[in-house]
Amino acid sequence: MIYRDEREQCPRCSTELIDARAARGCSTCGGLWIGVGDVQEMVQQMQTPQRPMELTFEIDQRTALACPSCKDPMRTLNLYGVPIDSCVKHGIWFDAKEFATVLWMSAKRTA
Ligand SMILES: [Zn+2]
Ligand SMILES: [Zn+2]
């Protein structure tokens, strides 16, 4: 039997995640847990002018973190040069400051 806690926990430090606007965040290490669709939307909003953007992931070889939702090992990927962890079903985990870096890099790359 698989036990699933209703509250999602930080894959880094096991702190309970708190709501942070469109995302959920860890108040201890500053990590962010965001749905892929929301990430894509925010990346698109960074483009001037705004335009549709495909998220370009590259495979990265690191130790996998567990998904905060389903506890499956997440895929370790690279998004705009930033190492991130992604669960196909639930979203993308960004360590502190990584999300801001992804947004910044995505805008820079297409400028
Ligand atoms: Zn944390
Ligand atoms: Zn998951």
Side-chain angles (χ1 to χ4, degrees):
M1 176 178 157
I2 301 165
Y3 171 78
R4 278 180 190 164
D5 196 335
E6 284 188 18
R7 295 191 200 109
E8 294 166 338
Q9 290 184 341
C10 174
R12 290 265 180 229
C13 61
S14 299
T15 303
E16 220 167 79
L17 297 180
I18 52 168
D19 287 322
R21 281 188 264 173
R24 315 207 74 198
C26 173
S27 58
T28 304
C29 69
L32 272 180
W33 177 232
I34 313 178
V36 178
D38 291 322
V39 172
Q40 187 152 14
E41 201 167 290
M42 286 185 260
V43 164
Q44 282 168 196
Q45 283 168 4
M46 285 295 286
Q47 312 307 313
T48 45
Q50 283 189 27
R51 60 197 181 86
M53 283 282 289
E54 284 293 320
L55 298 180
T56 39
F57 295 103
E58 293 150 31
I59 302 293
D60 193 353
Q61 300 295 332
R62 289 178 304 139
T63 312
L65 293 174
C67 169
S69 291
C70 64
K71 309 293 185 221
D72 281 351
M74 292 192 280
R75 292 183 304 163
T76 55
L77 300 169
N78 232 291
L79 183 60
Y80 302 112
V82 180
I84 50 120
D85 298 88
S86 163
C87 172
V88 191
K89 289 168 283 181
H90 296 107
I92 301 177
W93 176 259
F94 296 90
D95 285 325
K97 309 258 168 53
E98 283 181 349
F99 187 58
T101 308
V102 164
L103 289 183
W104 189 75
M105 291 301 287
S106 74
K108 192 171 163 233
R109 175 167 294 199
T110 54

